[in-house]
Amino acid sequence: MALCRSTWLSTLFNKAPTIAASAFSRCNFAALIAFSCLYIMKSTEELSGIAQQVRRDIVRMVHAVNSGHPGGSLGCTDYFVALYFHILNHRPDGFDMNGHGEDLFFLSNGHISPVWYSVLARSGYFPVSELATFRKLDTRLQGHPTTHEGLPGIRVASGSLGQGLSVALGAAQAKKLNGDPSIVYTLHGDGEIQEGQIWEAAMYAAHHKIDNIISTIDVNGQQIDGPTEKVMSLGNLRAKWEAFGWTVCEMEGNDMAEVLKGLTHAKSLTGQGKPIMILMTTSMGKGVDFMEGTPKWHGVAPNDAELANALGQLTETLGDY
Amino acid sequence: MALCRSTWLSTLFNKAPTIAASAFSRCNFAALIAFSCLYIMKSTEELSGIAQQVRRDIVRMVHAVNSGHPGGSLGCTDYFVALYFHILNHRPDGFDMNGHGEDLFFLSNGHISPVWYSVLARSGYFPVSELATFRKLDTRLQGHPTTHEGLPGIRVASGSLGQGLSVALGAAQAKKLNGDPSIVYTLHGDGEIQEGQIWEAAMYAAHHKIDNIISTIDVNGQQIDGPTEKVMSLGNLRAKWEAFGWTVCEMEGNDMAEVLKGLTHAKSLTGQGKPIMILMTTSMGKGVDFMEGTPKWHGVAPNDAELANALGQLTETLGDY
Amino acid sequence: MLNFEITGSNDTRSGFGAGLLEAGKRNPNVVALCADLIGSLKMDAFLKEFPERFFQVGIAEANMMGVAAGLTIGGKIPFTGTFANFSTGRVYDQIRQSIAYSGKNVKICASHAGLTLGEDGATHQILEDVGMMSMLPGMTVINPCDYNQTKAATLAIADFEGPVYLRFGRPKVPIFVPADEPFVIGKAWHMHHGKDVTIIATGHLVWKAVEAAQQLEAEGISVDLINIHTIKPLDVDAIVKSAAQTGAVVTAEEHQLIGGLGSMVAQALAVHQPTPLQMVGVNDSFGESGTPEQLMKKYGLESQDVYAAAKRVIAMKK
Amino acid sequence: MLNFEITGSNDTRSGFGAGLLEAGKRNPNVVALCADLIGSLKMDAFLKEFPERFFQVGIAEANMMGVAAGLTIGGKIPFTGTFANFSTGRVYDQIRQSIAYSGKNVKICASHAGLTLGEDGATHQILEDVGMMSMLPGMTVINPCDYNQTKAATLAIADFEGPVYLRFGRPKVPIFVPADEPFVIGKAWHMHHGKDVTIIATGHLVWKAVEAAQQLEAEGISVDLINIHTIKPLDVDAIVKSAAQTGAVVTAEEHQLIGGLGSMVAQALAVHQPTPLQMVGVNDSFGESGTPEQLMKKYGLESQDVYAAAKRVIAMKK
Ligand SMILES: Cc1ncc(C[n+]2csc(CCOP(=O)(O)OP(=O)(O)O)c2C)c(N)n1
Ligand SMILES: Cc1ncc(C[n+]2csc(CCOP(=O)(O)OP(=O)(O)O)c2C)c(N)n1
Ligand SMILES: [Mg+2]
Ligand SMILES: [Mg+2]
């Protein structure tokens, strides 16, 4: 059973698949030696190509229903692609809620569901064609991610901000109880960090030495009402997380090579008694020039002309859904 | 109209009352020049004497109803006495909910109501005899402080932890809107700081440059289930508050001279664009040897023998209620 | 006559925004707070006019409720603004202790209530807010039905002393309440007198109830139509009197049946005037993504559903 | 026969503590979390026996609910423990999204519910928790009446798949449920059959209802007595059948009347079987400090109050 059904993607890019030794190193979890893993690592260029397609998916999805959140989704696309196509040790074709022996990902800022849905579909969790149902009646691709409709890849609902870190910490502790050495990843918006529950969770993680978690904050400097600095300044984010007992890394989130380096580095810091936080600098709306660096496109869909303009800036690498 | 009806207390200690120039300096608030203030400053020894009496009140109150929280109350007695008998510019005999032109105090860790009730009564907010009604049916001295029964001196209910800082910040901002230069004080338990709402409020205060607030944390290192370090470590508290943009002071909370110095120093730091936090080290149960330094007496009342033992360690300076 | 002229169409939240601006002009003590949703709450006009009386709190709703409580202590009249779920469930204990139990003059103003916010889906579609707020002693709970009524309600609560929960929605809906219709907190608006069946509706369901009533009257069924804009304190008198006359009651609301207006009417009837009742509302289910119209249909909140409930309850009469 | 032998006296929270320990022994996936109230929740024995399966979260209830949701993802069965107000109102949105809507197998265990926690007063005396939890789709809500029933309920919910709210109290109360009485979630316990009046009680009020029923029976009034330990899903069948037989219903609970068991019974009756109803509960008021006994008396939750309600409702029968 392949951990990641991406051979066809590699083929698309005409690159020879390479075996990722690092993936094997995490497979010493007894119960899982059974499904030994052929993990296909992709080159940075391949990943960037996938990211182009994901960005096309995002703008097409929100345009089709005239609702949804393109800004944050576009900014976090490189992170999602790196995570799902390179970093995660996961099983897209045999989704199991408990995820024993798999790395887990939790999206706390649930409004950027478009990027997650696209990456989940493109990495094999469900048919790419289902992206066309986003936010439509009876869809499994609800406006905000949910387990309620049984969409593979989702392990908890989000949308109400500030809750995902706590959930991920529980999942990480369950892994420890189960003797599962996998890693739990989370993503948060920078505005989301204003929620008090985040700081409750931060304190909890350090106290319980939860060192199998790698959290990332999408530091795009924007939230709905404007720049974070003006709405509710986060001050010195590194100092805050360090004071709360986390190991803090920084990473440029819109440069695929940097993202890969940053996530790989963070991985090397797990198991050292401290939770890990990556402050990821991104540009909201990245990849579509008129959406970049402004909160205007936080939760607004492009009209037909804007869609055409956006698609003109993004190469179709894997075929539109 | 006297700002503080404490001449009789000073008399008790046979010390000549001194006029506090500092009190006048805060009285430039137009609407209040009317009630110009004869503020009586007391010596450190006088204040320590009052603290002895307050500690007697505390153990007697909780003993009488076999419920309530003596530990934190005893630890914070010196702070309360210093605040109400020396620092606050307030009107005990004309309680006004809005408190225009007065300094305000908010108790966020409402379970230590006994010390607050004693100090309120002893500084003239209501008859000392009413302390005997603590936690009894139909009392104004509810288990946790409330405005619901109209007790003078209380401006918001507390008891559910973590809410008081937010309320105080709103009151401080109202003062700014009203052109009232008075100061708002708050007290919090160290365990209480684990609540996320505290950190929401912390961020808000820094962002809005609320510099007319002086908060204090009772760092007694204890909470209900044991030492804070074991239950949920607060880590580096100074670093946390500094990272959240506050000016941080430290103060020994069971030394009256130090408390006076600490609060006076904090006052000198107001008006500089930053909220002020005092980390106050105390010993839980201070003043009653068998209650000291343990969480055991967080919320347990002494029996008859223990009461006698406790009272034997505390001088009756102002007359028991 | 059941002849309510539709004078336009607008969202109730815009009625709130207009009312807030007007309240701010009338009373300098009116202040506003928002948790990173200024545009959604239509608070822009107030912010522009009174920047120094506006407090941005970011995404920190619990803190917002506390700060609002504190502002009252300086004599201010704070209006908080965020979505309805973050105005209630996210901050219930804060409202309970720092506002309701403390008797603070805070106006909790909540947008995007119910299913009709549409595509965002269940995490945002609170259907329990009226129930939560109504259980709080001392809380006044208001759910107006159109732009004009929401604006009037906003002005009325600014003048009212005490904590208030004001609930409104996202989509444009018909405007049919006369702009000069007085808004009296706690007093039901008896929209039409009839003798065969009582229909009691609140919020977006009032217009659906009007449509249902028109259809029923066209069939010769006489409808007593009551607009309950104030759910707490409930106008029990109006309800019980009407039930006594018609002997059959329908309630209609954009809320869970458990804990909503229907449950409060059921209680009032059972105690004072046991009467057959049929309730229109969401039946113990979360919402989901879809257009407001699709969702109202799927979850049984259309005028057809009110009509059908009326027919059912009439059949229950002895 | 209304002959329930009192076999002792203990607090329901101790029944929870004993049940939790036992559940932990039976199933290694059972884990527990507590927010700085181990002793109050009687979780000490579990902690001692299974330290590695116990998670102290400090005073951070919102985080506790999230962590519990996350633990289920690794196949654990988490029991959270804190006071009832901090188990519900403080964390409603967290429960709603991360537990109820996400369908997580979390057991929310809540002590010190209602007035009977006594001296701590209103901020701690939640009277709205049952209403809040019952509005949540997919939530099971249980309010047992004595030590034995609470222990049995704790064991039952450990075996049940899905989110559960388990409510219990602080003071010692009579033990009268047989230790071997089976606990079936969702099934009312029909304690006594009668024909003149139905009394439906939950939690601490069940014993008060037994006393009231004894008094009524002594006067020749035949009482149908139903113990509703599971408030959601409500055993509507049992209630409607009983109401059809007696034609008069009384409900009794340590909760606000608005949103509580009484309101759910009123809804069920109005829709299925309109019947006169009298409700015993707290009437739109906060609690206060006092002994449990004083408070039950002052707020009208004594057996005398149940008795009087029965007399009133019988008088309402045509
Ligand atoms: C608890 C909560 N409060 C408010 C909202 C409404 N809301 C959705 S996204 C958002 C802004 C989030 O900012 P950020 O986390 O920086 O995400 P970005 O806009 O950068 O994508 C807000 C306020 C929410 N979803 N949840
Ligand atoms: C929101 C909330 N959670 C839990 C409690 C129960 N509780 C009351 S006091 C307390 C411990 C507080 O610790 P700390 O703030 O350090 O006060 P201290 O024990 O030192 O007086 C707890 C958990 C509460 N009152 N409020
Ligand atoms: Mg952002
Ligand atoms: Mg402490």
Side-chain angles (χ1 to χ4, degrees), chain C residues 39-116:
Chain C
S40 295
L41 268 285
K42 304 289 180 188
M43 293 174 113
D44 326 59
F46 183 94
L47 168 59
K48 203 172 158 211
E49 188 87 9
F50 307 110
E52 77 293 348
R53 282 155 56 189
F54 182 86
F55 301 87
Q56 173 64 264
V57 295
I59 313 173
E61 295 82 6
N63 183 52
M64 177 164 72
M65 293 302 158
V67 171
L71 282 161
T72 68
I73 294 170
K76 303 303 163 197
I77 306 171
F79 283 65
T80 67
T82 182
F83 291 157
N85 50 341
F86 314 134
S87 295
T88 55
R90 185 66 170 227
V91 293
Y92 183 84
D93 190 43
Q94 285 80 13
I95 293 176
R96 185 179 196 270
Q97 171 170 289
S98 295
I99 297 177
Y101 182 49
S102 293
K104 296 303 181 202
N105 193 21
V106 174
K107 316 304 170 185
I108 302 161
C109 302
S111 185
H112 291 53
L115 291 174
T116 49

Side-chain angles (χ1 to χ4, degrees), chain A residues 36-181:
Chain A
S36 72
C37 30
L38 184 74
Y39 191 79
I40 313 300
M41 204 185 243
K42 267 163 297 306
S43 71
T44 307
E45 303 83 70
E46 280 173 301
L47 294 170
S48 295
I50 300 172
Q52 291 276 322
Q53 184 65 53
V54 169
R55 288 191 162 96
R56 287 183 69 89
D57 291 349
I58 293 167
V59 289
R60 294 184 67 238
M61 286 163 74
V62 299
H63 168 265
V65 282
N66 193 25
S67 83
H69 300 77
S73 293
L74 291 168
C76 292
T77 298
D78 303 302
Y79 167 85
F80 269 91
V81 170
L83 195 69
Y84 272 81
F85 288 90
H86 187 95
I87 298 288
L88 281 189
N89 179 25
H90 64 136
R91 276 172 292 176
D93 51 5
F95 179 68
D96 162 47
M97 180 55 78
N98 284 345
H100 288 303
E102 288 183 83
D103 293 338
L104 307 181
F105 171 74
F106 292 93
L107 180 69
S108 192
N109 46 336
H111 60 279
I112 67 166
S113 57
V115 60
W116 198 15
Y117 292 150
S118 166
V119 165
L120 283 173
R122 300 265 171 205
S123 61
Y125 280 86
F126 54 82
V128 170
S129 59
E130 203 168 339
L131 295 177
T133 68
F134 176 61
R135 284 181 170 244
K136 292 186 179 150
L137 195 69
D138 295 325
T139 183
R140 300 196 295 177
L141 279 61
Q142 291 287 306
H144 294 83
T146 173
T147 58
H148 200 259
E149 320 300 332
L151 188 70
I154 315 278
R155 291 191 166 87
V156 78
S158 57
S160 174
L161 294 165
Q163 303 188 26
L165 186 53
S166 304
V167 177
L169 291 171
Q173 288 188 298
K175 287 213 175 288
K176 291 201 177 234
L177 276 180
N178 292 338
D180 177 350

Side-chain angles (χ1 to χ4, degrees), chain B residues 99-163:
Chain B
H100 287 302
E102 288 183 84
D103 293 338
L104 306 181
F105 170 73
F106 292 93
L107 181 69
S108 190
N109 47 337
H111 60 280
I112 68 166
S113 57
V115 59
W116 197 16
Y117 291 150
S118 166
V119 165
L120 283 173
R122 299 269 171 201
S123 62
Y125 279 86
F126 53 83
V128 170
S129 59
E130 202 168 338
L131 295 176
T133 69
F134 175 60
R135 284 181 169 245
K136 291 184 179 152
L137 195 69
D138 296 325
T139 183
R140 300 197 293 178
L141 279 60
Q142 291 287 306
H144 293 83
T146 174
T147 58
H148 200 259
E149 320 300 332
L151 189 70
I154 316 278
R155 291 191 166 87
V156 78
S158 57
S160 175
L161 294 165
Q163 302 187 27

Side-chain angles (χ1 to χ4, degrees), chain D residues 260-304:
Chain D
L261 171 65
S263 84
M264 291 176 245
V265 169
Q267 277 184 302
L269 294 178
V271 173
H272 299 291
Q273 178 77 32
T275 310
L277 171 69
Q278 290 288 308
M279 295 174 288
V280 173
V282 175
N283 189 7
D284 202 16
S285 159
F286 286 106
E288 63 175 293
S289 293
T291 67
E293 299 72 31
Q294 288 172 330
L295 295 171
M296 294 297 265
K297 196 157 172 216
K298 176 163 177 179
Y299 289 86
L301 302 181
E302 279 301 335
S303 46
Q304 266 323 105

